[in-house]
Amino acid sequence: METKIREYRVMKNLTQAELAEAVGVRRETVVFLEKGKYNPSLKLAHDVAKVLGATIDELFIFDDDE
């Protein structure tokens, strides 16, 4: 899985810590999300998208082969 979370976060001038606080997770979770190393729950994906002003489909790119 690839994500565009970092790009959207930077556009919103948010730090990883600020995004983490806004969605109720630890900063390390945001790090893993940005690297595509963590599959979030639907609620977390929705919350991140809402804070970043994007859709889930804009933020998360799923590889069908995985």
Side-chain angles (χ1 to χ4, degrees):
M1 173 180 71
E2 294 180 45
T3 73
K4 294 189 177 187
I5 294 172
R6 183 179 189 284
E7 291 90 335
Y8 278 79
R9 178 178 59 74
V10 169
M11 285 192 297
K12 290 281 190 177
N13 283 329
L14 292 172
T15 65
Q16 290 174 334
E18 291 168 334
L19 177 57
E21 184 176 334
V23 298
V25 298
R26 294 171 27 146
R27 186 188 64 79
E28 291 82 0
T29 302
V30 173
V31 171
F32 288 125
L33 283 170
E34 288 184 353
K35 292 180 178 182
K37 304 274 185 199
Y38 180 76
N39 284 329
S41 67
L42 182 56
K43 174 156 179 20
L44 178 55
H46 175 268
D47 292 346
V48 169
K50 187 174 179 181
V51 169
L52 295 179
T55 66
I56 292 172
D57 286 337
E58 290 171 330
L59 293 179
F60 298 93
I61 299 99
F62 293 95
D63 184 355
D64 291 337
D65 293 338
E66 288 184 12

